[in-house]
């Protein structure tokens, strides 16, 4: 079983209120980004324990704590799963605000569901995914949605970005989630995101924003510099994704995003949504 967990982009991100459980309520539109890892799952040979092999971008921490193994252990509580061997080849940058780890976890659930014919519905898989992380449930159905509460409750939206050229730039800057949230104060959004996202893409620059971008750019000017470059080269809309530090630009009507002169240490994805 070989699957390709994709990343996501946030179109707008507003931190709206503090929750009693210590988390924050948010509003955002999530869209799939076809920048992918590769995940293989297969039954382990006789006498071989469950394991996870990691290649590609180094992942901090012990493999035993990886979300892919945690997905397997979560399902094993409710199902008599055989031992498995997992292999994750990491391509999507870590800590970039692109949901790469969440996508890996959700695709692990999906792959194990198919591999062992568990016959779990998308709703059931989403319930498991929510136990692994707030973003994880999005990747079960993997289509554009309006996300709210912790970012794990979804409302279907009509949004077609098919063929829009996109450039994502990750400057290799690690901003911890704790730091990002410490710099943002909950507030009522200036514009209604559901309404704004339904307007022409060219209007989003004035009506859709990311609260983390406003809070973090004064401390990390490179975020603003990348965004300015994207607009200078013709992006109709550019923004920080999630809590960063990846910044993306959307270029409707273009076959490919323009080339930018960037440091070799940056990771860049060019393609079409």
């Amino acid at each position: 079983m070989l699957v390709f967990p994709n990343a996501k982009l946030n179109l707008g991100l507003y931190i709206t209120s503090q929750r009693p459980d210590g988390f924050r309520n948010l509003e955002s539109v999530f869209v799939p980004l076809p920048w992918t890892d590769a995940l293989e799952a297969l039954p382990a040979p006789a006498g071989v324990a469950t394991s996870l092999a990691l290649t590609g971008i180094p992942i901090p921490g012990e493999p035993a704590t990886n979300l892919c193994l945690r997905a397997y252990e979560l399902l094993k509580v409710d199902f008599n799963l055989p031992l498995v061997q997992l292999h994750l080849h990491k391509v999507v940058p870590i800590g970039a605000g692109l949901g790469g780890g969440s996508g890996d976890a959700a695709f692990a659930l999906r792959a194990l569901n198919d591999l062992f014919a568990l016959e779990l519905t998308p709703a059931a898989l989403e319930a498991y995914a929510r136990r692994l992380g707030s973003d994880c449930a999005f990747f079960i159905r993997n289509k554009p949605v309006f996300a709210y509460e912790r970012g794990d409750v979804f409302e279907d939206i009509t949004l077609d970005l098919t063929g829009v050229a996109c450039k994502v730039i990750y400057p290799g800057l690690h901003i911890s989630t704790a730091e990002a949230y410490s710099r943002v104060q909950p507030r009522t959004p200036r514009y209604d995101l559901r309404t704004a996202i339904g307007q022409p893409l060219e209007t989003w620059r004035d009506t859709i924003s990311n609260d983390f971008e406003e809070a973090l750019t004064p401390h990390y000017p490179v975020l603003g510099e990348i965004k300015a470059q994207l607009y200078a080269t013709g992006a109709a809309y550019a923004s920080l994704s999630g809590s960063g530090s990846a910044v993306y630009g959307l270029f409707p009507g273009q076959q490919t995003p323009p080339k930018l002169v960037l440091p070799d240490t940056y990771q860049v994805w060019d393609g079409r949504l």
Side-chain angles (χ1 to χ4, degrees), residues 129-161:
R130 287 186 180 94
R131 294 165 64 183
L132 294 171
S134 296
D135 286 352
C136 295
F138 163 73
F139 293 96
I140 298 299
R141 301 179 200 250
N142 213 21
K143 64 178 185 178
V145 293
F146 175 81
Y148 58 103
E149 294 193 8
R150 288 176 51 185
D152 60 355
V153 180
F154 310 121
E155 181 180 305
D156 289 338
I157 59 171
T158 301
L159 177 66
D160 185 6
L161 295 177

Side-chain angles (χ1 to χ4, degrees), residues 12-273:
L13 203 171
Y14 304 116
I15 307 302
T16 58
S17 61
Q18 184 73 43
R19 296 168 55 92
D21 59 9
F23 290 91
R24 307 259 183 108
N25 285 318
L26 61 83
E27 294 181 1
S28 185
V29 169
F30 295 168
V31 296
L33 174 71
W35 192 354
T36 66
D37 296 330
L39 175 65
E40 183 181 39
L42 66 161
V48 176
T50 290
S51 63
L52 171 65
L54 299 171
T55 56
I57 297 173
I59 300 176
E62 293 298 320
T65 65
N66 187 277
L67 284 172
C68 294
L69 274 182
R70 288 177 57 194
Y72 168 78
E73 296 295 341
L74 188 62
L75 290 177
K76 191 178 178 182
V77 172
D78 296 329
F79 298 93
N80 185 27
L81 297 185
L83 301 177
V84 298
Q85 287 184 306
L86 301 173
H87 177 195
L88 174 63
H89 183 72
K90 193 67 182 160
V91 177
V92 177
I94 298 167
L98 300 174
S102 297
D104 295 336
F107 271 73
L109 290 173
R110 291 170 54 177
L112 294 167
N113 183 50
D114 292 342
L115 181 63
F116 299 120
L118 304 181
E119 299 184 351
L120 290 166
T121 65
L125 286 169
E126 283 182 350
Y128 280 109
R130 287 186 180 94
R131 294 165 64 183
L132 294 171
S134 296
D135 286 352
C136 295
F138 163 73
F139 293 96
I140 298 299
R141 301 179 200 250
N142 213 21
K143 64 178 185 178
V145 293
F146 175 81
Y148 58 103
E149 294 193 8
R150 288 176 51 185
D152 60 355
V153 180
F154 310 121
E155 181 180 305
D156 289 338
I157 59 171
T158 301
L159 177 66
D160 185 6
L161 295 177
T162 304
V164 172
C166 177
K167 181 184 285 288
V168 183
I169 302 169
Y170 173 61
L173 173 65
H174 178 72
I175 303 173
S176 72
T177 301
E179 178 189 355
Y181 272 93
S182 73
R183 296 190 184 279
V184 174
Q185 293 300 315
R187 63 183 181 181
T188 302
R190 290 188 291 270
Y191 295 93
D192 181 76
L193 183 56
R194 292 181 183 86
T195 301
I197 205 72
Q199 301 305 307
L201 193 155
E202 289 76 13
T203 68
W204 293 358
R205 183 173 183 173
D206 299 319
T207 59
I208 297 178
S209 59
N210 180 333
D211 285 347
F212 287 111
E213 182 182 316
E214 182 178 324
L216 293 171
T217 299
H219 305 278
Y220 301 99
V222 66
L223 304 178
E225 293 165 5
I226 294 172
K227 183 177 178 179
Q229 278 188 277
L230 290 166
Y231 274 131
T233 53
Y237 180 71
S239 176
L240 186 74
S241 187
S243 58
S245 61
V247 181
Y248 65 90
L250 304 181
F251 300 81
Q254 297 192 27
Q255 291 300 310
T256 58
K259 298 294 183 183
L260 298 181
V261 178
L262 299 167
D264 292 338
T265 54
Y266 286 15
Q267 289 179 258
V268 179
W269 181 88
D270 286 306
R272 300 172 75 79
L273 298 177

